[in-house]
Amino acid sequence: MNLIVVGPPGCGKGTQAEALIRKYGVVQISTGNILRAEIKKGSELGVKAKELIDKGQLVPDDVIIGMMRERLQQDDVKQGILFDGFPRTIPQAHALDELLPELGIELDAVVNIQVSDEEVVKRISGRRVNIETGATYHIVYNPPPEGEQVIQRDDDKEETVRERLTVYRKQTEPIISHYQDKVVDIDGQQPIETVTAEIFAKLESRS
Ligand code: AMP
């Protein structure tokens, strides 16, 4: 199974990705997680990326595409891939269209998790992340296990979230029509388990 999961910030992408990984044994490739690891290392890429991420803007396409080209060389991609946070622009989608056939990989579906702007802002204010594992939680809807160390991401501040939403609607949403009949629309404003069940049911009915 090779999937793209797409949706606005706070749509539950990370949480649903975890459920998909458990069910299908796919490897998650999250450009956001790769960039955050670079920031933590203090690499040149990390320093440049942090500036943009903190403003809610996207990292340039050529940087992201180079990073993905390298990541897709690893052997684990053979077990199936879940792309999380990539592609985020039309040029990135075109680059992936070229990369996948070179690797003999075929995309099965694009899971499009739909959530309104209002709901996004409400959710993100409560979002917390475990920076070691990348697991995401919400202080009210999905609290972290007791004792687990979680933080609020710098780019989860309200002003940055509004900018990320604008960027999402303008630059990322157009990729959904690019994938046409591969797209599986999901109502992301339901309880977590209901969203997961809807994703599984819709993916099963396609296979
Ligand atoms: P995410 O964890 O997917 O929400 O990504 C956090 C931030 O990293 C985004 O707001 C962007 O600034 C940057 N980023 C992640 N993935 C991409 C991508 N595919 N293209 C450009 N920027 C990205």
Side-chain angles (χ1 to χ4, degrees):
M1 179 79 85
N2 295 294
L3 300 170
I4 292 173
V5 181
V6 66
C11 72
K13 205 156 42 84
T15 306
Q16 298 304 331
E18 285 168 31
L20 285 160
I21 292 160
R22 275 196 301 273
K23 183 164 171 88
Y24 295 110
V26 291
V27 59
Q28 177 184 25
I29 303 187
S30 157
T31 38
N33 285 350
I34 299 174
L35 291 168
R36 280 184 288 276
E38 292 294 326
I39 292 173
K40 220 172 138 196
K41 273 197 279 181
S43 69
E44 197 182 327
L45 166 62
V47 172
K48 276 193 211 143
K50 183 167 175 22
E51 226 176 276
L52 294 162
I53 292 174
D54 286 352
K55 284 193 276 192
Q57 293 169 4
L58 295 183
V59 173
D61 285 334
D62 56 338
V63 174
I64 297 288
I65 293 165
M67 215 169 79
M68 288 309 277
R69 184 169 288 129
E70 201 177 305
R71 176 62 186 88
L72 289 169
Q73 299 306 317
Q74 291 180 29
D75 245 17
D76 60 355
V77 300
K78 294 197 186 97
Q79 67 196 65
I81 307 171
L82 185 151
F83 291 103
D84 168 0
F86 175 88
R88 237 180 174 100
T89 63
I90 288 284
Q92 290 181 21
H94 287 152
L96 188 64
D97 288 348
E98 285 181 18
L99 273 168
L100 289 183
E102 281 171 24
L103 297 161
I105 295 171
E106 202 185 325
L107 190 65
D108 294 294
V110 176
V111 177
N112 174 31
I113 306 180
Q114 298 169 310
V115 171
S116 71
D117 288 9
E118 212 180 313
E119 176 72 13
V120 164
V121 174
K122 200 169 84 188
R123 284 184 184 184
I124 285 198
S125 57
R127 179 151 86 170
R128 297 294 180 274
V129 187
N130 177 327
I131 43 167
E132 298 302 326
T133 64
T136 53
Y137 303 98
H138 189 283
I139 48 177
V140 179
Y141 309 125
N142 179 28
E146 215 171 303
E148 187 161 332
Q149 289 283 336
V150 293
I151 57 149
Q152 181 173 40
R153 276 166 45 175
D154 286 341
D155 59 340
D156 279 350
K157 293 182 192 122
E158 182 166 341
E159 201 189 288
T160 311
V161 171
R162 293 204 179 271
E163 174 64 15
R164 286 167 67 198
L165 263 172
T166 306
V167 167
Y168 177 78
R169 301 288 178 212
K170 213 164 114 193
Q171 300 199 60
T172 305
E173 232 166 28
I175 72 162
I176 295 162
S177 33
H178 172 80
Y179 287 110
Q180 294 179 2
D181 55 345
K182 300 240 160 146
V183 178
V184 174
D185 287 323
I186 303 292
D187 174 4
Q189 300 204 173
Q190 312 172 87
I192 293 174
E193 296 73 22
T194 315
V195 175
T196 308
E198 188 180 331
I199 296 175
F200 288 169
K202 289 190 169 167
L203 288 178
E204 296 296 314
S205 75
R206 289 173 60 87
S207 57

